[in-house]
Amino acid sequence: MLDGLNPEQKDAVSTLAGPLLVLAGAGTGKTRVVTFRIARLIQTGIRPDRILAVTFTNKAAAEMQERVGELLPPRIEERPVVSTFHSHCVRILRRHAPKLGYPEKWGICDRGDQEGIARDVLREIRVPSETMRPGDLLYAISRWKNRSCDPQQAVTESQTDKEHVAAAGYRRYQNALQNRGIMDFDDLLVNTERLFAKFEEARREEAARFDHLLIDEYQDTNGSQYGIVKSLAQDHRNLCVVGDDDQSIYGWRGAEVAHILNFTKHWPEAKTVRLVRNYRSTEAIIERANTLITFNRERYPKQLIAARQGGQKPRIEQFKNTEEEAAAVIANIQQVIAQPDWEPRDIAILFRTNEQPRAFETELRKANLPYVLIGGKSFFDRKEVRDVLAYIKTIAMPRDEMSLLRIINKPPRGISQNTIEKLRQQAVAAGEPVWNIMSRSAPATALAPNAQRAVEGFVSLIRYFQQQQKSKSLTSLLRELLAKVKYQADLARQYPDPNEQQSRWAAVEEVINALAAYEQKAKQPRLGEFVDEILLEGREFGDSKEKQMKGNAIVLMTLHSAKGLEFPHVYMVGMEEGILPHHRSVAEEGKAIDEERRLCYVGVTRAQEYLTLSMALTRMKWGKPRESQPSRFLFELIGQADNVHGAQQPKSRAAHERHTQQRAAAKKRASTARTARRRKWGQ
């Protein structure tokens, strides 16, 4: 099994007990090491089901499970438990949620449900939309939850008026979730951490299920995830974490690079193995990446070693404006594709913000080149997908009020908004779910005869399908449900354009296909479990990066989306102060700039053969051209900046002042060069 591994990889695979930190640099064969180590544990006698491997995406979990299976002999039928953090927490909470005050059959709410509750909360505390939008409230709440900060702590920590408003909304939002018996995605982590902190017997029970714990992408863990890992591993201490502090780029969603930087402090007996041999990029690209990342303040000292010698130095190009930048990049891509060795799929254009690709899309269309823009609208933001899932959730758990009220009159069945409001008011007054009120033969709030019949018809519909799930396959049940409510006909009524009808119905069919796939693999298929699974797949479902990239097309994507991918030709565009690094980070400096530099490093290390970095001397803002300044990262990449943080450089005030003066000189050079059409750097 160790054949074909380099010495560092062998060391990581062969270390099978105690805490282990594997620092896996970009392109160093991390997945290979992780899967080989799991297989090695099983080979030495560890029962597969006593090994838990945790990843951040369902795709990574599936790939890891598949590759481990390929390494094991056929006689070993059992497999290790490979899961995402959220999926594993769901399993834990299914066993223990009542301890935290939730019903046994609790649900998971999606983004649409969250926004609906947030909107109600803001209306309740009389906050106008210009002061705070639902998305702003949810962002603030998520930030608090990622730091394991409860509503009371949020009130205590709040300083600005906006933070105080958000803290008041946080308490009401959380109460609304619990009253409905649902959790949002952050709650899955926060509540698991709370469970382990408050109920030691539950922590011991869950920790005792496994003898070995492996965490992938450890640099991306937030406060709750760190607490969960510690709780699960503190007894047996067989914890292996794999990651790269130089690729920690998710601070904006709660990830704390300090967890990987302080691993050996948290686990003093830990062994550290560094994987530094890069098999992806040429030596010329790796040299630039190494030079850039040494400017970061806090990191493990390490340098990638390129397995592929030579290569062309990365090009840095400067253009008069964004239109010229886009035109020149696409013209260069046309030349590349004209060569027999390269195809559109070999090329990626990477950008920092979602506004940047417009000019490049325009030029790609002019050139009639195939391209795909990765990202955009989530599969779960689609109206018809949310409708179908709401029907499924209502059948599985009718007390899920957000889902029930979404489809109570969809397609229209004669239940007016006035009727819905009467039912809600009675439910609030009685302290009961709306479903209970509807299920009574005569609600206390008098309804018009037509409305009463419509409500009774809806209740009968849901009860019918609740009974049918005991005897029918779930897939056939869903098909029958959609036919019975005439959902496809309603789409045709709402959208006269046949193409739009087809597109929307295709999204519905995607849900049906997912349910069929779930049924095939589940031992005891249940609608509630299917909803858990499909919601936990989140943005990967339907619109995964890999699925969108199928076909022979140039890829346009953000630097954040590009992590984990690689391309022969990479174009990093908009390399300007205020874009990369982003203007918010420039204002904050310090750790914020370090994260932006790591993001730039991730972009550079996506390139296998050729890397081009470009900037525009002027960029339109509010309809007027504004001067741009070259990104500081350009100077750092090519060694034209003093490194006051690198291991080889003293952290002197004089060096810092020279760096500041050099950046001022760079601004001046950029200003005087505005009329230049094009200038190449770093050749």
Side-chain angles (χ1 to χ4, degrees), residues 150-362:
D150 64 25
Q152 184 55 50
Q153 289 171 291
V155 170
T156 305
E157 290 184 9
S158 296
Q159 296 180 344
T160 67
D161 289 345
K162 196 166 185 176
E163 287 173 348
H164 281 294
V165 170
Y170 182 9
R171 181 183 298 281
R172 287 172 170 80
Y173 169 84
Q174 206 57 32
N175 288 340
L177 287 181
Q178 191 137 7
N179 289 341
R180 289 169 169 82
I182 54 179
M183 302 184 198
D184 65 21
F185 286 99
D186 292 324
D187 285 333
L188 301 177
L189 303 176
V190 171
N191 284 336
T192 303
E193 185 186 20
R194 278 179 58 215
L195 174 76
F196 289 163
K198 289 188 172 185
F199 301 94
E200 175 63 14
E201 73 281 6
R203 185 203 69 78
R204 285 199 303 268
E205 178 188 331
E206 294 301 326
R209 292 176 184 273
F210 304 98
D211 298 320
H212 287 266
L213 178 58
L214 186 144
I215 310 296
D216 192 16
E217 303 286 9
Y218 190 67
Q219 78 279 352
D220 294 335
T221 52
N222 64 25
S224 292
Q225 288 161 335
Y226 167 77
I228 292 165
V229 170
K230 184 179 178 184
S231 294
L232 291 175
Q234 67 186 48
D235 298 334
H236 57 66
R237 305 189 75 78
N238 292 322
L239 170 65
C240 172
V241 302
V242 183
D244 182 10
D245 53 304
D246 290 336
Q247 295 186 77
S248 180
I249 60 173
Y250 296 114
W252 51 276
R253 69 182 189 196
E256 296 179 38
V257 70
H259 294 154
I260 193 168
L261 290 175
N262 294 327
F263 184 79
T264 53
K265 293 178 183 176
H266 300 152
W267 305 83
E269 74 274 36
K271 176 178 178 177
T272 302
V273 177
R274 288 173 169 80
L275 307 182
V276 294
R277 186 165 293 274
N278 177 283
Y279 296 96
R280 175 188 298 153
S281 309
T282 63
E283 183 181 28
I285 292 170
I286 292 303
E287 283 179 357
R288 292 291 195 237
N290 283 334
T291 302
L292 170 72
I293 202 60
T294 57
F295 281 78
N296 266 9
R297 290 166 169 75
E298 296 181 26
R299 61 185 292 269
Y300 285 103
K302 58 186 178 302
Q303 285 212 328
L304 293 179
I305 300 168
R308 302 173 58 207
Q309 301 300 302
Q312 186 180 104
K313 286 183 179 180
R315 295 184 304 166
I316 302 179
E317 299 191 341
Q318 184 170 285
F319 302 96
K320 183 179 178 180
N321 53 43
T322 51
E323 286 71 26
E324 286 196 6
E325 179 188 30
V329 167
I330 303 311
N332 185 255
I333 288 174
Q334 282 183 295
Q335 294 174 5
V336 171
I337 294 174
Q339 301 172 31
D341 294 338
W342 306 114
E343 298 184 64
R345 64 165 63 93
D346 297 322
I347 298 165
I349 301 173
L350 308 182
F351 43 87
R352 174 64 179 86
T353 67
N354 287 317
E355 296 77 31
Q356 288 176 258
R358 180 197 58 78
F360 295 90
E361 287 194 82
T362 300

Side-chain angles (χ1 to χ4, degrees), residues 652-663:
S652 68
R653 188 177 188 84
H656 182 71
E657 288 174 356
R658 284 198 303 275
H659 182 47
T660 303
Q661 291 167 1
Q662 195 162 38
R663 284 179 56 201

Side-chain angles (χ1 to χ4, degrees), residues 108-119:
I108 303 171
C109 64
D110 61 20
R111 178 70 184 189
D113 295 337
Q114 287 181 268
E115 288 182 352
I117 295 172
R119 193 173 291 108

